[in-house]
Amino acid sequence: MSTATTPGPDRSRLGQVGRRDLLKVLAAAPVAAQWAAAGPAAASVSPGIVKPLPPELFTIRGTNAETKVSAFAGTGRLTPADRFFVRNHTSTPRLGESDWKLTVWGSGLGGGRPVHFTYGQLRSLPPVTRTAFLECAGNGRNYFATQQGRPVIGTPWTLGAIGVARWRGVRLADVLRLAGITDRAVDVMPRGLDDDFVAGGVNLGRPRKPLPVAKAMNDVILAYEMNGEPLPYDHGFPVRVVAPSWVGIASIKWLGDLEVSDTPLSSPWTTQFYRLFGEAYPPEGSVPLTRQTIKSTFELAEGAVFEASRIHHLTGRSWSAAGAVRRVEVSTDGGAHWRPAKLRDTPHRDSWVRWSADWRPRHAGPAELLARATDTAGNTQPLASVHNTQGYLFDAVVRHGVTVR
């Protein structure tokens, strides 16, 4: 089981007190005080999303909102909630903690009956804090078409379907142990409380994606705070899953129940979606997606304009799910030459690193800025990504077009 990254109550008692005794303690725990409005109260400017989506910060994509990469500039390492991207299958539910409960059930439990946790009971467990990025599996999907000339289906994200936050909650492992998980369990499937998702006229039910027990018992948390505040509605209030380094669909929002199974589980989010299809893969597709990949972005609007013969301070961010980013290189001549960027953060796995590089363009006209990252696992961004029909896991260097005048 992972260790906490911030101080919390003495966790040694979890190994010394019996499960039945701990459940009695939880039952007696006071319900958490109500937040003044159970989350932000501002009206949404997009159907299905609660928070404001000003055009200088977001591009609205159907039920989703992509952060403009230029909006990351100056925000520090953590992404403020007001500019964190929104990925919704349907619409954001407005739930309250007073009537919320988590149900843990399934053949992988030893008690034979579902176990329930209230919001107050969950918050009474030893807390843990993790800084981690959440990223949609389709982040960068747009570039399969615009850079590589191959069409794909799905939301045409550029590189703004990502954000880094400090999440506070409880270990999923602690909840599963309290619920009586057995050594027969193989999968844990979180399910959200948002509306059923309908695709092609077929009701696929609420979003859900199984986690192998090894992942569930490792670093996954059930988060109730984001950057020191209660989760905003759009980001999972009252409780969400945070599965570090995995594709965003694994971090189910508005968590309602956990199925613990002694046989492998599946859902449309592991069969129809979130696996790789195409000529490079078997007819049935790849195995279901788990870990994210490696990417870089400049903190610049597409088509930004620069003056010739002046020094410009370029900034950007790079991240990888396989390891901390250890090197970033930039090219200001379309990839003909590369030079190292200056890293502005101590690299950490599951987070991004900010970087900068100076550029003095000498001639007017169009230019292409490129950035590529290398992580501690030895991965370097390629010049092209392997095509798949749903446009997942784009990892290639992005050509950022600008104008010099």
Side-chain angles (χ1 to χ4, degrees), residues 206-289:
R206 292 173 175 170
R208 59 203 186 278
K209 177 178 170 61
L211 301 168
V213 163
K215 176 67 173 177
M217 300 295 284
N218 182 17
D219 59 353
V220 178
I221 69 170
L222 305 184
Y224 44 73
E225 288 184 8
M226 176 183 182
N227 294 339
E229 300 290 339
L231 288 172
Y233 283 131
D234 293 309
H235 301 293
F237 184 86
V239 176
R240 73 169 302 158
V241 176
V242 174
S245 80
W246 278 37
V247 292
I249 185 60
S251 294
I252 293 292
K253 295 191 284 187
W254 315 295
L255 180 64
D257 70 273
L258 297 165
E259 180 181 0
V260 185
S261 177
D262 60 8
T263 59
L265 297 172
S266 66
S267 80
W269 286 267
T270 60
T271 56
Q272 294 178 232
F273 315 116
Y274 300 100
R275 59 197 306 160
L276 306 178
F277 296 97
E279 67 271 14
Y281 304 98
E284 69 277 11
S286 70
V287 298
L289 300 185

Side-chain angles (χ1 to χ4, degrees), residues 46-218:
S46 175
I49 295 177
V50 173
K51 69 183 180 183
L53 303 173
E56 66 272 19
L57 299 182
F58 292 100
T59 300
I60 298 173
R61 303 194 184 278
T63 60
N64 312 301
E66 177 178 3
T67 308
K68 293 185 175 180
V69 293
S70 56
F72 291 136
T75 59
R77 194 161 191 170
L78 301 181
T79 308
D82 67 354
R83 63 188 66 193
F84 208 99
F85 83 103
V86 179
R87 170 65 173 106
N88 282 357
H89 282 81
T90 54
S91 60
T92 296
R94 297 186 183 221
L95 306 173
E97 82 259 20
S98 60
D99 56 357
W100 177 89
K101 70 177 179 180
L102 171 64
T103 299
V104 187
W105 62 283
S107 59
L109 299 183
R113 294 183 178 180
V115 178
H116 305 286
F117 296 84
T118 67
Y119 186 77
Q121 289 170 345
L122 202 70
R123 288 187 67 99
S124 73
L125 294 176
V128 64
T129 301
R130 300 194 193 286
T131 297
F133 68 78
L134 292 185
E135 181 182 15
C136 181
N139 197 27
R141 177 182 284 126
N142 180 63
Y143 300 111
F144 278 107
T146 60
Q147 282 197 180
Q148 300 185 189
R150 299 290 304 276
V152 294
I153 60 174
T155 303
W157 304 108
T158 53
L159 285 174
I162 182 173
V164 174
R166 181 176 295 118
W167 310 97
R168 187 171 188 260
V170 301
R171 297 171 181 81
L172 175 55
D174 289 350
V175 171
L176 293 173
R177 290 192 179 102
L178 287 174
I181 190 171
T182 70
D183 57 10
R184 302 188 310 274
V186 296
D187 276 348
V188 177
M189 184 150 66
R191 181 169 54 175
L193 288 171
D194 41 341
D195 291 337
D196 290 359
F197 178 59
V198 178
V202 178
N203 188 328
L204 302 179
R206 292 173 175 170
R208 59 203 186 278
K209 177 178 170 61
L211 301 168
V213 163
K215 176 67 173 177
M217 300 295 284
N218 182 17

Side-chain angles (χ1 to χ4, degrees), residues 27-45:
V31 176
Q34 296 281 336
W35 305 111
S44 173
V45 298

Side-chain angles (χ1 to χ4, degrees), residues 334-348:
H337 302 88
W338 295 86
R339 55 191 172 93
K342 180 180 179 180
L343 302 187
R344 298 165 56 201
D345 299 306
T346 301
H348 293 284

